[in-house]
Amino acid sequence: MVAYRVLTDHDVQELLSMDEAIRKIEDALFEKEEGTLVAPPRFRVEVDRGSLVFTAGAATGSEKLIGFRVYDTFPGNDSDHNQIVAVFSSETGALRGIVIGQAIGMVRTGAIGGVAVKHMARPDAESLAVLGTGHQARAQLMAALAVRDFKTIKVYSRDPDRRQRFVKEMNQSIGKDIRAVDSAQECVDGADVILCATNSPVPVFYSEWVKDGAHINTIGPKSENAHEIPIELIERSSVLVTDSLEQLRAYPKPHIAVRESRAGRIAELSDIVTGKQPGRRSLNDITLFFSVGLAGTEVVVAGEVLRKAEGKAG
């Protein structure tokens, strides 16, 4: 009988650093540029009370992996609501293993954001603003710190208790001084990099609060009718980038950036990472990254965790 490897959140947290996840995302983006990353838009299987959402992909160059991630949209937050990433060999179809839990998705999305900060933020960026205090805000913060040495870190969310818990937990995790502030304006003011990771359907800050030269990652709602960043910021930004134009165009509710006046300006993160296009043209450019979830990247990150688990088992 064949024994299949099944990993959990504990394994992901123990075996994979954010630095390693960022490197694997960059590997996947090089594969995308070389044409060996298969990354179709996500799709859903819907029933009355919810759906299963699948992101399938393959990296057939250096990684030689194929697989999928699936998560549900059913109501409730019970522990039996979970995500699965299944990883197979793209050469033989053999199952390499399965990763179950929330951590792999958080690390993968955080790492994509970290790659954007690495290649798009000013090289002298020192001040960081975090809007949001959920799990994704944590992952985005960890990824940003993996690629830049920020001297000042400010955090804001609407709930003061959550702000304080976030600051306490992250100060213990990263050994840096993070300061909770009382308004979004105070958080964004003067920031070189802004991480926007909220669930707000309305903008959580104004464009005029953002200084010239800033870089912004937007992780939360980004549709025409529900968006966490202001439309005016898109118009001010000199460089617009996403990890997947195909996914950006495939949303059932039109993405905030797909209007004809904006869509032609959007570059892909793979173009930036491989040097095909610059992440910014000047120190005063405002640069904006729309994180939408490049298919195949979760398979690459999960494949790395499985590889490290195999090496540990010896």
Side-chain angles (χ1 to χ4, degrees):
M1 178 181 293
V2 178
Y4 295 111
R5 193 175 300 279
V6 179
L7 305 183
T8 65
D9 284 349
H10 173 78
D11 298 300
V12 174
Q13 293 157 0
E14 182 183 69
L15 295 171
L16 189 71
S17 70
M18 185 58 78
D19 284 331
E20 291 168 324
I22 287 170
R23 286 196 293 272
K24 297 314 292 184
I25 293 297
E26 288 181 318
D27 289 345
L29 290 168
F30 270 96
E31 288 218 23
K32 186 175 191 303
E33 192 63 27
E34 291 163 3
T36 58
L37 186 76
V38 181
R42 65 180 63 97
F43 65 93
R44 294 171 179 255
V45 177
E46 299 193 28
V47 293
D48 290 342
R49 290 184 54 79
S51 63
L52 293 180
V53 183
F54 289 82
T55 306
T60 63
S62 59
E63 297 297 322
K64 296 180 172 52
L65 300 174
I66 187 171
F68 63 87
R69 171 189 175 208
V70 59
Y71 59 91
D72 78 273
T73 66
F74 286 78
N77 295 307
D78 299 331
S79 59
D80 57 350
H81 289 252
N82 235 319
Q83 302 181 20
I84 295 173
V85 180
V87 182
F88 302 79
S89 165
S90 66
E91 295 184 306
T92 67
L95 177 63
R96 291 276 309 279
I98 295 172
V99 183
I100 299 175
Q102 305 295 326
I104 194 72
M106 292 295 135
V107 170
R108 167 262 199 170
T109 305
I112 291 174
V115 171
V117 172
K118 177 180 177 180
H119 292 273
M120 297 179 67
R122 289 171 56 124
D124 60 351
E126 293 187 340
S127 56
L128 176 66
V130 183
L131 295 167
T133 51
H135 293 301
Q136 194 50 253
R138 286 169 168 78
Q140 293 292 320
L141 173 56
M142 295 296 288
L145 290 172
V147 299
R148 287 286 193 279
D149 183 21
F150 291 102
K151 303 294 190 297
T152 303
I153 305 170
K154 295 182 288 185
V155 176
Y156 173 76
S157 68
R158 290 175 297 178
D159 187 326
D161 291 336
R162 291 193 65 177
R163 287 202 304 267
Q164 293 302 328
R165 285 198 300 272
F166 182 92
V167 166
K168 183 178 179 180
E169 292 169 12
M170 296 309 296
N171 277 338
Q172 291 173 347
S173 297
I174 65 177
K176 281 184 172 286
D177 184 36
I178 306 173
R179 183 163 60 95
V181 295
D182 295 327
S183 71
Q185 183 170 6
E186 185 180 0
C187 189
V188 168
D189 184 43
D192 295 312
V193 174
I194 300 167
L195 306 177
C196 201
T198 77
N199 59 7
S200 175
V202 297
V204 295
F205 61 92
Y206 289 104
S207 175
E208 55 263 33
W209 297 350
V210 177
K211 75 172 189 178
D212 288 344
H215 170 75
I216 303 94
N217 280 3
T218 173
I219 316 300
K222 297 177 287 291
S223 73
E224 283 282 1
N225 296 322
H227 43 88
E228 64 177 359
I229 64 168
I231 295 288
E232 295 79 10
L233 182 64
I234 301 176
E235 309 304 336
R236 277 187 69 195
S237 297
S238 301
V239 181
L240 305 177
V241 174
T242 185
D243 45 335
S244 174
L245 274 170
E246 193 171 2
Q247 177 60 60
L248 183 144
R249 291 168 175 151
Y251 281 107
K253 296 180 180 178
H255 190 281
I256 193 175
V258 297
R259 284 188 183 178
E260 190 171 338
S261 61
R262 302 171 195 145
R265 298 171 52 207
I266 303 173
E268 297 218 75
L269 188 57
S270 58
D271 292 336
I272 308 300
V273 170
T274 58
K276 189 175 179 180
Q277 295 189 42
R280 61 173 48 244
R281 298 178 181 87
S282 78
L283 292 178
N284 289 326
D285 279 344
I286 292 177
T287 58
L288 178 56
F289 174 65
F290 300 103
S291 179
V292 298
L294 174 63
T297 51
E298 58 278 280
V299 175
V300 169
V301 173
E304 180 66 6
V305 182
L306 287 161
R307 185 191 67 77
K308 291 173 76 69
E310 290 163 4
K312 184 179 178 182

